[in-house]
Amino acid sequence: QQQQQQQPYQTTMLSLRFFVLSCLSLTATTTSGFVAPSSSRTASVQSSSTSSSTLINVVKYDKTEEKWITTDPETEGPAAGYDIFGSLLRAGPKPVFVRIFQSENYEQAILKFMAGDKVGRLEAQANMDQFFENAQDWVYNRLQAEKGGYKPDYVTIKKDQIALRLVWSSVVFAFLGRAIYCYNTGDSFYAILSS
């Protein structure tokens, strides 16, 4: 009988943890969209339009270390790109996890894309974020663009994405508030449905 009483408590705690994690990620996506760009981001936007000959000299493969390196980390290194919240807003949570747990692979993918396609940091980073989010769609879009079809803009954050995430986060906050209230008062989480 004691196990049966603990079952709803464990379910509520799991739900509470899920809501807290969801709210944290959604809060990060909604708040970072309204931050003014810093000077380093402004500089990276300008550097993303640099010429192909300049980019050839900036990103090189180092055979001794067996990895891609940039000779100009200020304009084409990790600090020149957008932050982790930029990845979250542009492509969702998958590239964020890659950035956190496989940061070296993430950086190498960006540098390799920059060298191969002769593009700037922002375009390469946005493309790799989309690749990590959904590789099949990214490959399809890339093939269509190479055939002269539609080429998606992965760099620009669309305002409707921010609005949808804002609405979604308000729903999650409502549930989280209800879960915290029920946890503190001992009320049933589902009691509001029976009223």
Side-chain angles (χ1 to χ4, degrees), residues 130-140:
Q130 286 298 322
F131 175 81
F132 291 130
E133 177 61 29
N134 188 337
Q136 292 171 337
D137 284 353
W138 180 85
V139 169
Y140 174 78

Side-chain angles (χ1 to χ4, degrees), residues 82-83 87 95-96 98-99 102-111 121 125-126 128-129 132:
Y82 49 80
D83 59 8
S87 292
V96 170
V98 173
R99 281 185 81 159
Q102 299 175 348
S103 58
E104 183 63 29
N105 290 342
Y106 180 81
E107 182 61 23
Q108 286 299 299
I110 293 170
L111 293 175
R121 173 75 187 194
Q125 188 172 0
M128 288 298 92
D129 282 348
F132 291 130

Side-chain angles (χ1 to χ4, degrees), residues 17-159:
R17 287 181 187 152
F18 173 75
F19 286 131
V20 168
L21 290 174
S22 298
C23 288
L24 288 175
S25 69
L26 290 172
T27 302
T29 62
T30 56
T31 56
S32 67
F34 302 106
V35 177
S38 67
S39 59
S40 66
R41 288 188 197 136
T42 306
S44 67
V45 170
Q46 294 167 349
S47 69
S48 69
S49 62
T50 55
S51 67
S52 298
S53 61
T54 306
L55 290 173
I56 291 171
N57 296 329
V58 172
V59 179
K60 295 181 179 181
Y61 186 75
D62 185 358
K63 292 180 182 178
T64 58
E65 292 187 35
E66 296 184 353
K67 65 179 190 175
W68 292 93
I69 59 168
T70 179
T71 56
D72 191 4
E74 256 185 52
T75 60
E76 298 299 338
Y82 49 80
D83 59 8
I84 201 162
F85 298 115
S87 292
L88 194 57
L89 282 172
R90 285 173 178 84
K94 287 182 187 176
V96 170
F97 289 123
V98 173
R99 281 185 81 159
I100 293 171
F101 297 113
Q102 299 175 348
S103 58
E104 183 63 29
N105 290 342
Y106 180 81
E107 182 61 23
Q108 286 299 299
I110 293 170
L111 293 175
K112 185 175 181 180
F113 191 89
M114 287 172 63
D117 282 28
K118 296 172 184 51
V119 296
R121 173 75 187 194
L122 283 179
E123 187 174 344
Q125 188 172 0
N127 270 278
M128 288 298 92
D129 282 348
Q130 286 298 322
F131 175 81
F132 291 130
E133 177 61 29
N134 188 337
Q136 292 171 337
D137 284 353
W138 180 85
V139 169
Y140 174 78
N141 288 334
R142 179 152 172 112
L143 291 173
Q144 292 301 314
E146 287 175 359
K147 292 178 185 177
Y150 172 71
K151 181 181 179 187
D153 177 16
Y154 297 128
V155 178
T156 305
I157 299 173
K158 294 155 190 74
K159 291 182 181 181

